[in-house]
Amino acid sequence: AGRIVDYGVVGEIVVQGASVASGYRTQLDSLSLTSLSEGRLQTGDAGFLANGELYVLGRIGDSLKIRGRVLFAEDLEVAISGLGVPRGRVAVLLGSHRGVSTVVALFELARSTIADSILDVLRQRTEGAEVVLVFAGSGSIVRTSSGKPKRRQPWKQFTEGELANQAKSAATGSD
């Protein structure tokens, strides 16, 4: 909402001051949440201040609020990696699809033998959201120059049905 929040309260990280650049360059087709206006850089990242330290939680667009709790894609990826899936081989996508809170786990590997365990972990952590697993080929997770997953592009592909033939839905349990 553009107002300062108290210490310990999660909000968007906004930076201003002499060290902020005078401009910000994005690609024309960018879906970036980052913007620069009147010397204030809205980073698009969620975080909070505690004990004089800034804690960065993740991208605002990479989170989903379910039953008053904010879930971040990165936290779900860590939970999946705990089952033995290499962290670089999964990108979690979060959003509302057809009016339903939806979690999509996009994997860069063949169908996993632990798919049921992955579904169980995601169902427990997402409290009733629809959970979809997508097993795609190598290189299907597009990354930023720093190696982080670009989540908006595959989310758009999912919502447009382009990933449907590779998906296994937890809601139906079918391919």
Side-chain angles (χ1 to χ4, degrees):
R3 65 181 180 276
I4 296 174
V5 297
D6 292 331
Y7 280 83
V9 176
V10 174
E12 180 179 12
I13 299 170
V14 177
V15 181
Q16 68 182 44
S19 64
V20 174
S22 60
Y24 182 76
R25 182 177 176 207
T26 62
Q27 295 177 344
L28 293 177
D29 62 343
S30 174
L31 298 173
S32 176
L33 297 175
T34 307
S35 67
L36 178 67
S37 176
E38 300 176 13
R40 293 169 41 108
L41 178 66
Q42 293 179 258
T43 66
D45 292 316
F48 65 94
L49 291 169
N51 301 320
E53 298 286 328
L54 173 65
Y55 294 85
V56 180
L57 300 174
R59 299 292 287 165
I60 289 173
D62 298 339
S63 64
L64 184 64
K65 193 170 191 176
I66 298 177
R67 297 183 187 177
R69 207 175 96 210
V70 179
L71 301 172
F72 287 92
E74 296 88 348
D75 293 333
L76 297 175
E77 290 169 359
V78 169
I80 292 169
S81 71
L83 297 173
V85 175
R87 284 200 62 190
R89 297 298 183 125
V90 62
V92 172
L93 319 170
L94 304 171
S96 179
H97 182 57
R98 298 183 180 145
V100 176
S101 295
T102 304
V103 176
V104 177
L106 174 61
F107 296 90
E108 279 189 334
L109 47 91
R111 183 170 297 279
S112 176
T113 57
I114 59 169
D116 290 337
S117 296
I118 294 167
L119 285 171
D120 288 343
V121 164
L122 291 175
R123 281 188 198 126
Q124 289 170 7
R125 293 178 181 262
T126 60
E127 303 177 36
E130 180 176 6
V131 176
V132 179
L133 305 184
V134 178
F135 297 92
S138 181
S140 58
I141 299 174
V142 181
R143 301 192 178 278
T144 66
S145 59
S146 63
K148 294 183 282 187
K150 287 186 176 181
R151 300 175 201 280
R152 286 166 192 74
Q153 181 181 349
W155 176 259
K156 184 176 184 227
Q157 291 173 314
F158 171 74
T159 60
E160 293 176 353
E162 296 174 23
L163 300 178
N165 63 341
Q166 302 170 48
K168 176 178 182 176
S169 172
T172 63
S174 63
D175 289 3

